[in-house]
Amino acid sequence: MAESKVRKTAASKAEPGARRTARTTAEPAAKPVVKAAVKAAAKPAVKPRKPESHLAMVRRARKINRELAELYPYAHPELDFENPFELLVATVLSAQTTDLRVNQTTPALFAKYPTPDDMAAAVPEELEEIIRPTGFFRAKARSLIGLSIALRDTFGGEVPGRLADLVTLPGVGRKTANVVLGNAFGVPGITVDTHFGRLARRFGWTAEEDPEKVEAAVAEIFPKSEWTMLSHRVVFHGRRICHSRKPACGACPIAPLCPSYGEGETDPEKAAKLLKYEMGGQPGQRLRPPADFPGEAAARADAAAHQGHAADLAVAE
């Protein structure tokens, strides 16, 4: 009799786990909008990780980079620009706002102030009014005028191609300098913005919070030739899948390599709904994206939809 009770109790304790397993197995796979999500949904749950050596971490980090390269072969800076000066200005404006907001603001800005000489002579109040939508417009206007004066007086009206020179400009730190060097001059650099720092810690590459220390730690893991593209890939992933508040873990192809798996939504169907930009079928940050960027089609479709709606309204009137 006692033995029967013990068996019954053990069975009842096992039932909830069994039911959970059955539910998990029976749940339909998500219908993600990208191959990556399909691939992620098909992967088994990530097992708890054992402590890893530094060498194992480096190997895992480099594998993550290769996976991200497959996921985002089109990764690029998401600020619209046509020359080093425009990229420098746009990057300064991007602090505490979205790249999309900057891209909506810079056409009028560069139409009025196309060169450092023009911006150096700007009336502060007029410049502030143009860049107001990007936030902190007074401080940003001071930085833009200050860096333009420095470019005019110290660098012959040209944006310098050295880190040591760029960081002397008002409002320009290592992050901004590395963006300009990597994307306007082809000089490798690691861009540690909020997305990059967050993912570097989630991936277990570093525990540092200070951007310069994060940059130094990550620089030791990857070859210099990878720094610029690594930055783009990680930032892309942070914006599209590995979000700050609720990462889409269940739709993430990097999940099997990530020690932070489970911080976000792990159900594939629910996670797929968290995907952003082209991953979720929406335009990216750029208004003038490269020709091979998949967000371009979404941007055109969105514009066509608005035009169609406007035409319908005109007919109705």
Side-chain angles (χ1 to χ4, degrees), residues 1 43 53 120 224 277:
M1 181 72 73
K43 291 183 178 178
S53 65
K224 195 171 184 178
Y277 305 125

Side-chain angles (χ1 to χ4, degrees), residues 77-289:
E78 293 195 88
L79 292 167
D80 289 329
F81 70 97
E82 294 183 0
N83 55 58
F85 177 63
E86 289 189 0
L87 179 57
L88 176 62
V89 170
T91 307
V92 169
L93 290 177
S94 69
Q96 304 298 316
T97 191
T98 64
D99 286 356
L100 177 59
R101 178 65 66 187
V102 174
N103 293 337
Q104 292 169 334
T105 303
T106 49
L109 178 66
F110 295 136
K112 187 163 186 176
Y113 309 110
T115 69
D117 283 1
D118 296 318
M119 198 167 286
V123 176
E125 292 77 14
E126 294 178 1
L127 178 57
E128 289 172 6
E129 192 57 33
I130 294 175
I131 66 172
R132 180 186 289 269
T134 67
F136 302 96
F137 56 92
R138 291 191 179 89
K140 289 179 180 179
R142 287 195 296 271
S143 293
L144 294 185
I145 292 174
L147 70 84
S148 297
I149 291 172
L151 292 177
R152 181 193 66 191
D153 297 347
T154 307
F155 298 103
E158 300 291 333
V159 176
R162 295 196 320 145
L163 179 68
D165 293 330
L166 283 167
V167 295
T168 66
L169 301 174
V172 178
R174 289 185 67 90
K175 184 201 87 169
T176 298
N178 280 328
V179 169
V180 174
L181 289 173
N183 299 286
F185 295 100
V187 178
I190 295 172
T191 303
V192 183
D193 66 358
T194 55
H195 300 288
F196 191 98
R198 179 177 74 252
L199 268 63
R201 288 184 288 275
R202 281 182 178 169
F203 289 157
W205 298 350
T206 180
E208 298 290 351
E209 295 281 346
D210 179 77
E212 288 194 27
K213 292 181 179 179
V214 172
E215 180 186 343
V218 174
E220 292 182 358
I221 299 173
F222 298 94
K224 195 171 184 178
S225 60
E226 286 290 309
W227 288 356
T228 299
M229 287 309 300
L230 171 72
S231 299
H232 292 324
R233 294 165 190 154
V234 172
V235 171
F236 258 55
H237 196 61
R239 285 176 171 169
R240 286 152 177 78
I241 296 179
C242 195
H243 314 137
S244 176
R245 294 184 181 178
K246 197 170 185 180
C249 294
C252 179
I254 313 302
L257 298 169
C258 182
S260 300
Y261 175 81
E263 285 189 13
E265 180 57 66
T266 58
D267 177 81
E269 188 172 355
K270 292 178 181 177
K273 294 178 181 178
L274 299 174
L275 299 178
K276 293 184 178 179
Y277 305 125
E278 77 282 0
M279 293 301 197
Q282 301 297 320
Q285 298 267 297
R286 295 192 72 163
L287 298 179
R288 291 177 289 147

Side-chain angles (χ1 to χ4, degrees), residues 5-21:
K5 284 186 178 179
V6 169
R7 286 178 181 167
K8 188 174 181 182
T9 304
S12 64
K13 285 182 178 178
E15 275 183 1
R19 284 198 297 268
R20 282 196 298 271
T21 305

